[in-house]
Amino acid sequence: MSDGSAAELARTVEALLFLAPDPVPTGELIEACEVSEVQLRNALDLLAEELAPGRRGIVLREVAGGWALATDPVAEAAARRLLARPKTPPLTAAQAETLAIVAYLQPVSRPEIARIRGVSSESAVQTLGERGLIEEAGRSRFGAVIYRTTALFERLFGLSGLEDLPDASKFDPTPEDAADLRERLLRAGEQRAAP
Amino acid sequence: MSDGSAAELARTVEALLFLAPDPVPTGELIEACEVSEVQLRNALDLLAEELAPGRRGIVLREVAGGWALATDPVAEAAARRLLARPKTPPLTAAQAETLAIVAYLQPVSRPEIARIRGVSSESAVQTLGERGLIEEAGRSRFGAVIYRTTALFERLFGLSGLEDLPDASKFDPTPEDAADLRERLLRAGEQRAAP
Amino acid sequence: MRTADLELDLDVFAGPFDLLLAIVLREEISLLEVELGDVVVAYVEHLEEEGELDLEAATEFLVLVAALLELKSRLMLPTEEEPELDLGPEEAADELLARMLEYRRYRDAGAELSRRLEREAPYLHRAAPLPAELRRVSIEAARQAYDPDRLGVALGDLLSAPPTLDTSHIRPTVSLERRLEVVRALLQRASRIDFDEQFGSEDRLTQAVTIFALLELHKKGEATWSQRSNFGPIEVSGQRTATGGQTAKARRES
């Protein structure tokens, strides 16, 4: 690229900083572009001018580790709306069951969830955790992680609090059974797991 | 932001596309920026002009059902030196044929791919899956896995969507070529059928 | 067994079955030279040795061999002997031609895709993680996305007593001989049967082995079958000359 113009070099430097996840030291830019230090300095000056604050959506920054592109603060609110939005893909059956167990029985341990569902529920628990619907709430006295639902869970289900959960008896196939909900879920789960 | 100028909106959109890990559909940009569709279209026009090929180090592209920023080809060699990003290996003929069948006929099963190619396509299907270009899309009613292309496919092939694929009839031979081939087949059949 | 693993040793072709239709479509050998009966027999024998069925591979084999059978039979049928079939060398040539053109279309579309990938390769996309302040989901941005009743329904399912034991995963053994008997018996009672109607409620393994039984009957000249469109109904017709079938059977067993 030694024959490229300063403008073309500035374009290349912009592209490199766009791609790099971390700040790039001047020396690495010189090596990647195969130019002299003077040529690179000139290109950086040109780029700094084009990306001066207020001109574009991204700005050039010189930080501790080298050079980096960053977004202009003008986009902050829109960025939060676009990117900090919770992901809400449809729940799979396994996720819905796991979430129902945590919601109605909380706090509840992972082994209990597995016993009620009759299958190990690791991946459902993990996904629900990543999506911020459930969180760890300490450990049971046997050392198992216990879970509860989060404020985001209430928000995404349109609940003003846990007392707002639909009445379990409405969906209960045998509402006449007087035993405790937890006990009955565990009993049904063990029947399911039996060969 | 409804009071912001088109220029400011263009800056915001540029910043959003800089941050977003995947192409962003127009609708999501409208929601994030809280503007009308007309306002957003104008801002995109402005941004496209500012990022027109040859002007800067990054360009605006419509791919995979949304908008994305990408580097200008001018920076390719330097970028590969800086980031040690290997070039994507080209497709083998078998992979290219299989990918074309999935792209045009999706969702499509492996037996159907084999029917058209006349050859079992197991390894091509597997490699395309590993490269993230195709994915499973459920099962046919006979239980065969069916495949479709991915968003990554559209991005890597610079397609704004599947409707952006070139018209398949473009690849059909001229009527003369077809007639010629038919004639040859017929002669072979006649020779054989004769006692 | 993977379809590609079936090795053939025919007069005009030795190699994996996998390659056979491919080289026919690419015009490297003439379909008329290939003894398809041997291909099917080789596959059925191999399947019997293996004792288990990979449904995906079996479907692939069926699709390929059925295409070969259809094309070849049409290429060879002399029109004057079977006027009711209305299929002569002309139609056969058209059929094979259509298959070749279809293949070429995707071959050329694939080549175009390869060029496109090459052309697009210099456009690089950013793959950087989000800045820390955007990585945390903001509760304020969250809106209701789920119906709380979904949780109630899931809870109700979990409270239900388990349904009767599901045994569908236990594979029944299905013998080709038995399926042959079943199909022969049906064809003695009716000259035409609809595959889905007769076997649609059977499990997939039984259906697949029944298809092999049909292939065997087709080879012996005891039955023909047709399917007008992909995934359309399969109609099976018995051939009235049962003696032909007997002879073929006797020949194979001797």
Side-chain angles (χ1 to χ4, degrees), chain A residues 107-152:
Chain A
V108 62
S109 71
R110 194 191 300 222
E112 275 181 303
I113 299 172
R115 271 169 65 202
I116 293 170
R117 293 198 53 231
V119 287
S120 151
S121 306
E122 254 166 74
S123 103
V125 166
Q126 198 191 329
T127 308
L128 294 171
E130 280 165 5
R131 297 217 192 120
L133 291 165
I134 64 173
E135 64 189 2
E136 296 189 6
R139 297 209 169 240
S140 75
R141 59 194 180 93
F142 303 108
V145 179
I146 53 178
Y147 294 92
R148 66 176 168 222
T149 54
T150 61
L152 181 64

Side-chain angles (χ1 to χ4, degrees), chain C residues 122-141:
Chain C
Y123 293 97
L124 302 173
H125 290 258
R126 197 163 173 264
L130 283 177
E133 67 273 16
L134 289 176
R135 253 174 276 164
R136 276 204 44 215
V137 161
S138 97
I139 293 188
E140 298 73 52

Side-chain angles (χ1 to χ4, degrees), chain B residues 18-19 59 61 68-71 73 76 79-80 85 91 96-97 99-101 104-105 110-112 114-120 122 131 141-145 155-159 164-166 168 170-173 178 181-182 184-186 188-189 192, chain C residues 2-4 18 21-22 25-27 32-33 55-56 59-60 63-64 75-76 89-90 93-94 96-97 99-114 116-118 120-127 130-131 134 143 196 204 230-231:
Chain B
F18 176 82
L19 292 170
V59 293
R61 318 200 78 207
L69 299 180
T71 58
E76 191 196 358
R80 297 206 188 278
R85 263 204 215 178
L91 298 174
E97 286 172 21
L99 184 59
I101 293 169
Y104 282 96
L105 300 184
R110 229 175 64 201
E112 177 71 2
R115 187 190 69 76
I116 294 170
R117 294 193 57 230
V119 61
S120 161
E122 210 176 315
R131 290 180 68 168
R141 64 188 188 95
F142 298 106
V145 177
R155 204 173 82 183
L156 290 179
F157 287 75
L159 301 164
D164 203 21
L165 281 169
K170 173 181 146 188
F171 304 106
D172 289 341
L181 184 56
R182 180 177 188 277
R184 271 190 287 141
L185 289 173
L186 207 50
R192 180 67 179 205
Chain C
R2 293 162 66 241
T3 315
D18 189 38
L21 183 57
L25 286 180
R26 288 159 184 70
E27 292 181 86
L32 294 159
E33 308 289 330
L55 202 65
E56 195 97 348
T59 319
E60 220 161 52
V63 166
L64 293 175
L75 268 177
M76 296 193 68
E90 295 253 347
D94 286 340
L96 187 50
L97 178 67
R99 293 286 313 265
M100 286 176 168
L101 295 185
E102 185 183 28
Y103 165 69
R104 283 171 184 216
R105 169 190 292 178
Y106 294 106
R107 181 195 62 191
D108 294 350
E112 168 74 22
L113 283 178
S114 289
R116 220 183 151 104
L117 180 64
E118 184 77 12
E120 291 294 320
Y123 293 97
L124 302 173
H125 290 258
R126 197 163 173 264
L130 283 177
L134 289 176
R143 279 176 229 141
D196 283 332
R204 292 195 303 169
N230 289 339
F231 308 121

Side-chain angles (χ1 to χ4, degrees), chain A residues 82-102:
Chain A
L82 178 70
L83 299 164
R85 217 178 17 182
K87 308 269 174 293
T88 54
L91 297 175
T92 64
Q95 289 160 5
E97 284 183 12
T98 305
L99 191 55
I101 294 169
V102 178

Side-chain angles (χ1 to χ4, degrees), chain A residues 8 11-12 14-16 18-19 28 32 34 51 54-58 71-72 74-75 78-79 81-83 85, chain B residues 8 11 14-16 18-19 28 32 34 50-51 54-58 69 71-72 74-75 78-79 81-83:
Chain A
E8 186 175 315
R11 289 170 60 205
T12 300
E14 184 182 26
L16 295 184
F18 169 80
L19 292 173
E28 286 188 24
E34 299 181 334
L51 299 184
R55 291 192 64 171
R56 314 196 34 88
I58 45 187
T71 53
D72 189 288
V74 75
R81 282 190 292 268
L82 178 70
L83 299 164
R85 217 178 17 182
Chain B
E8 187 177 315
R11 288 170 57 206
E14 186 180 28
L16 294 182
F18 176 82
L19 292 170
E28 288 189 21
E34 300 184 332
E50 279 165 357
L51 300 182
R55 289 192 65 171
R56 311 190 37 86
I58 49 185
L69 299 180
T71 58
D72 188 285
V74 74
R81 280 192 292 270
L82 179 70
L83 301 170

